[in-house]
Amino acid sequence: MADEAYSWETDFQWRSRRNFIETWRDEYPEDRLASLAMCWSNMKFFGCRYPEKVESLVNEMESKCPPVPKPEKRPPKRSIIIENFSVYEPSDQVQNLNPISILTESAQKSKKTINFQELQSTNLFTCAVIIQDKLVATGEASNKKDAKRNAAENALDVLKSCQPVVKKRKIDHDAATKVTKTELTMKAYEEASVIPESNLGNQLLRKMGWKGSGGIGKEGQGRAEPVMVTGVDGKQGLGVNQDTALHKGSVHKVILDFINSSDQDMKFSPELSKEDRALVHQLSKRYGLRHQSYGKDAERYLVISKNLYECEK
């Protein structure tokens, strides 16, 4: 029983008593050592008193025991002060974090009202952060701008100690699934329905010698795939370059496949035109995906992401 923890002992108390026993295991009989260890534990952790001779002995024995690492002290968790409010922090990729922007975005995503209210002060400017009609923190400075920033920093410290913290994960553009314009174009042909033999165009071509597969023409040297028809989208009209415009159905299919996959990010190559990227943005917004373009001119590319935030606590 001496080598087992009692139901009332904490982990640290049990480790300390076991350390006491292990130190003196070869010096005392088992029953005697168990009793001395329990006397020491009761004195150490519960303030019990014993005859002077016993206390003197266990104190001397303790002085020769190796120290036991104490558990890390954690600050007590404060109660939530604003229901259904989370702090949304940017990823580590973002430098020079602006506490005012973090608070504002957190309030927007949590659907709470936020106000930075100036307070009267004699010598310094004072600003208060009020979220959902609750005073969170105040800040002071020699000017209004710094007072507002100090108030925001103080408010973040308070909120992080009691509200859930959600952090944007780092997006690795190089590791993201790559999609080229060529792949999107081929996807359109793969998804296109087969032209049946009852189709008038199919019948006319067959009368001119086409066998139902391969290229058209006497020697089969002509075009082998049907012309892809792209419906009118947005402000497109007569004269639009259909050879370079992406087919909406193919982009839609790629995005749906991405949503149903285990991938977190997808990168569309710089081959896409401005209109192509606009189509990807439009469909990504429809499905609640995070979408953003990076780079300039011919190097501009687009990344879509899901599960952008990770809850820390």
Side-chain angles (χ1 to χ4, degrees), residues 164-177:
V165 178
V166 182
K167 192 165 187 174
K168 287 183 180 179
R169 63 177 177 81
K170 181 179 180 180
I171 299 177
D172 189 342
H173 293 197
D174 294 330
T177 304

Side-chain angles (χ1 to χ4, degrees), residues 5-24:
Y6 292 105
S7 59
W8 62 82
E9 286 182 306
T10 65
D11 179 68
F12 176 67
Q13 291 170 355
W14 158 233
R15 287 190 293 110
S16 299
R17 185 166 64 87
R18 184 175 58 186
N19 179 61
F20 187 99
I21 293 172
E22 293 298 330
T23 302
W24 297 100

Side-chain angles (χ1 to χ4, degrees), residues 47-304:
C48 297
R49 299 304 304 272
Y50 292 92
E52 183 179 352
K53 186 177 180 180
V54 175
E55 291 186 354
S56 177
L57 176 59
V58 296
N59 285 333
E60 182 181 354
M61 294 171 70
E62 178 190 14
S63 66
K64 298 180 180 180
C65 293
V68 177
K70 292 185 178 181
E72 181 182 354
K73 291 185 177 181
R74 298 181 179 180
K77 185 177 179 180
R78 301 175 61 179
S79 300
I80 290 178
I81 59 176
I82 303 174
E83 292 294 332
N84 302 319
F85 182 92
S86 298
V87 178
Y88 287 82
E89 283 194 321
S91 67
D92 296 332
Q93 293 173 304
V94 181
Q95 298 179 348
N96 301 322
L97 299 180
N98 187 330
I100 299 174
S101 298
I102 295 175
L103 279 180
T104 302
E105 181 179 3
S106 299
Q108 290 175 345
K109 291 184 179 299
S110 301
K111 297 182 179 179
K112 306 294 181 184
T113 59
I114 181 170
N115 293 303
F116 294 89
Q117 184 175 328
E118 296 179 10
L119 302 178
Q120 292 183 350
S121 181
T122 306
N123 299 321
L124 297 174
F125 290 94
T126 304
C127 181
V129 177
I130 301 174
I131 299 178
Q132 207 65 15
D133 297 327
K134 292 185 178 181
L135 175 63
V136 178
T138 61
E140 295 181 337
S142 58
N143 58 73
K144 293 182 179 180
K145 181 179 179 180
D146 289 342
K148 183 177 181 180
R149 186 180 182 90
N150 291 340
E153 290 177 347
N154 294 337
L156 279 177
D157 290 338
V158 171
L159 293 170
K160 286 180 182 179
S161 69
C162 58
Q163 304 289 147
V165 178
V166 182
K167 192 165 187 174
K168 287 183 180 179
R169 63 177 177 81
K170 181 179 180 180
I171 299 177
D172 189 342
H173 293 197
D174 294 330
T177 304
K178 310 290 191 304
V179 179
T180 66
K181 187 163 185 173
T182 301
E183 292 172 339
L184 288 170
T185 303
M186 292 303 298
K187 177 72 70 174
Y189 283 105
E190 292 172 3
E191 297 298 321
S193 57
V194 178
I195 299 177
E197 293 185 8
S198 59
N199 179 271
L200 180 60
N202 187 314
Q203 295 175 359
L204 290 173
L205 288 173
R206 287 179 181 274
K207 289 179 179 179
M208 291 185 285
W210 185 55
K211 304 300 183 182
S213 62
I216 58 177
K218 185 177 180 180
E219 305 296 333
Q221 76 281 8
R223 185 184 184 109
E225 300 86 10
V227 176
M228 180 62 63
V229 177
T230 304
V232 175
D233 187 24
K235 297 182 180 180
Q236 292 183 357
L238 295 175
V240 65
N241 188 350
Q242 299 286 5
D243 292 333
T244 60
L246 286 179
H247 191 268
K248 185 173 182 178
S250 64
V251 180
H252 193 191
K253 180 64 166 59
V254 167
I255 290 179
L256 287 179
D257 289 344
F258 167 68
I259 292 174
N260 295 321
S261 72
S262 59
D263 298 331
Q264 295 296 314
D265 308 294
M266 177 173 282
K267 178 180 178 180
F268 291 83
S269 73
E271 300 172 273
L272 273 67
S273 65
K274 181 179 179 180
E275 292 72 23
D276 295 335
R277 290 196 302 271
L279 176 58
V280 178
H281 282 298
Q282 175 190 349
L283 292 173
S284 298
K285 184 177 181 180
R286 177 192 299 179
Y287 290 105
L289 299 173
R290 194 257 192 187
H291 48 99
Q292 185 171 346
S293 295
Y294 302 87
K296 294 182 179 181
D297 302 327
E299 300 300 321
R300 194 162 180 80
Y301 62 93
L302 171 62
V303 176
I304 64 175

